[in-house]
Amino acid sequence: MKNSHLHFNTSIGVKKPESIRNKQAACPFCARDELVNLIEVDGPIILLKNKYPVLENAYQTVLIETDDCQGELSTYEHSHLHRLLKFGIRKWLEMDQTKQYESVIFFKNHGPLSGGTIAHPHMQIVGLHDINYKENVSDEIFEGITIEEKDEVRFTLSTKPKVGFYEFNVEMADNIYIEAFGEYLQIAVHYILNNFPFRANSYNLFFHHYNGKIYAKAVPRFITTPLYIGYGIPQVPNNLHWMADDLKSKYLIS
Ligand SMILES: [Zn+2]
């Protein structure tokens, strides 16, 4: 039985610790000795079962990115960035290949407007038993202005964004991890947090395994436009070329 809506368990939801807004709360991901249900560990990187599985009909895991609570993907050393993304993508695709799920999603929330609750850098890999996220995906949401292309990795700014405004995309083939993929993704996130003209403190990453490719979408988060909430109409700003050039001049032209 397929489903169009993912069900959220509110009684588990209220028990979840909150460390993004409540700075006094102890960080559960720093208490490494107390973590249970570990799935795989690679040095400071830990994949484990989510202690608060708020989603019904889903298998929820958490990927703790580092043992540094103040760390952030935008500032990781390249060696750690690649180690993390290789590990995360491998575990995500492995879960997909078990065929136990209708689809498997891999994403990251960062900052108060991202929907995240715990500040310690982490991502999530979630197997959905009755929802195929790919049904809501089309080629055009990954199309856009090419910012740069290297080693068969493409870095673009969406011209037909899924929700609207600014969506950065990085794509590579699904058979081998290429370092340019991680580096472009890191640049997108660093630009969002530090050089974005509209001051973003929150972003999401959404990975997609689609048509033989791996896509990562980096989305700065603001208050969502009412036209999208009310009517599902995504808006496209008229300064995309300016932004692609601005990013290029700050990060890619030496
Ligand atoms: Zn922490």
Side-chain angles (χ1 to χ4, degrees):
M1 254 289 275
K2 282 210 183 154
N3 226 325
S4 62
H5 287 63
L6 194 53
H7 295 270
F8 183 96
N9 184 318
T10 51
S11 61
I12 299 176
V14 294
K15 290 186 208 141
K16 266 181 89 170
E18 245 280 1
S19 80
I20 284 190
R21 285 174 203 85
N22 177 4
K23 306 280 180 210
Q24 264 73 53
C27 174
F29 297 162
C30 279
R32 291 170 77 90
D33 296 342
E34 288 160 37
L35 295 173
V36 293
N37 293 319
L38 305 192
I39 298 164
E40 194 170 320
V41 178
D42 179 13
I45 303 165
I46 302 175
L47 181 71
L48 72 166
K49 263 177 84 171
N50 194 321
K51 198 175 170 188
Y52 300 95
V54 291
L55 304 174
E56 308 272 354
N57 251 332
Y59 175 68
Q60 290 181 251
T61 70
V62 175
L63 176 59
I64 300 177
E65 298 173 23
T66 163
D67 51 16
D68 177 6
C69 206
Q70 315 302 324
E72 211 302 294
L73 193 135
S74 59
T75 56
Y76 291 157
E77 303 224 351
H78 278 179
S79 58
H80 185 70
L81 175 76
H82 299 315
R83 184 183 190 180
L84 169 70
L85 289 174
K86 263 189 223 172
F87 179 90
I89 291 169
R90 175 170 63 82
K91 297 310 291 180
W92 169 47
L93 296 181
E94 270 176 26
M95 217 158 123
D96 207 11
Q97 280 152 12
T98 64
K99 303 281 176 213
Q100 289 182 46
Y101 310 99
E102 187 67 31
S103 66
V104 182
I105 51 177
F106 178 27
F107 62 99
K108 174 178 173 68
N109 306 327
H110 170 86
L113 294 177
S114 70
T117 47
I118 291 175
H120 192 121
H122 68 286
M123 304 189 198
Q124 298 184 56
I125 303 174
V126 179
L128 304 174
H129 285 294
D130 56 6
I131 291 185
N132 185 353
Y133 74 87
K134 294 172 196 180
E135 287 176 1
N136 301 321
V137 172
S138 60
D139 292 321
E140 67 173 28
I141 67 165
F142 303 116
E143 285 164 8
I145 300 164
T146 300
I147 298 170
E148 196 174 84
E149 198 160 358
K150 184 172 78 177
D151 304 334
E152 295 179 31
V153 176
R154 237 157 73 86
F155 183 20
T156 66
L157 180 58
S158 281
T159 41
K160 292 190 174 167
K162 190 162 196 297
V163 170
F165 293 93
Y166 307 98
E167 299 181 5
F168 295 94
N169 309 291
V170 185
E171 69 173 79
M172 66 175 177
D174 67 358
N175 51 354
I176 184 166
Y177 176 80
I178 298 169
E179 293 191 340
F181 180 88
E183 287 161 24
Y184 286 149
L185 196 57
Q186 185 176 48
I187 287 171
V189 170
H190 195 276
Y191 182 76
I192 289 169
L193 293 178
N194 298 280
N195 288 303
F196 205 63
F198 313 100
R199 292 180 145 269
N201 62 2
S202 304
Y203 70 88
N204 294 108
L205 297 181
F206 300 109
F207 293 86
H208 298 76
H209 186 203
Y210 184 70
N211 284 347
K213 288 194 166 161
I214 306 275
Y215 295 92
K217 201 176 248 303
V219 185
R221 293 298 307 277
F222 305 95
I223 299 295
T224 308
T225 137
L227 297 191
Y228 189 79
I229 300 286
Y231 305 109
I233 305 172
Q235 293 170 81
V236 189
N238 65 359
N239 67 347
L240 293 178
H241 282 280
W242 171 84
M243 183 170 288
D245 288 343
D246 184 54
L247 186 150
K248 220 187 284 185
S249 71
K250 289 185 166 100
Y251 292 88
L252 295 166
I253 296 168
S254 46

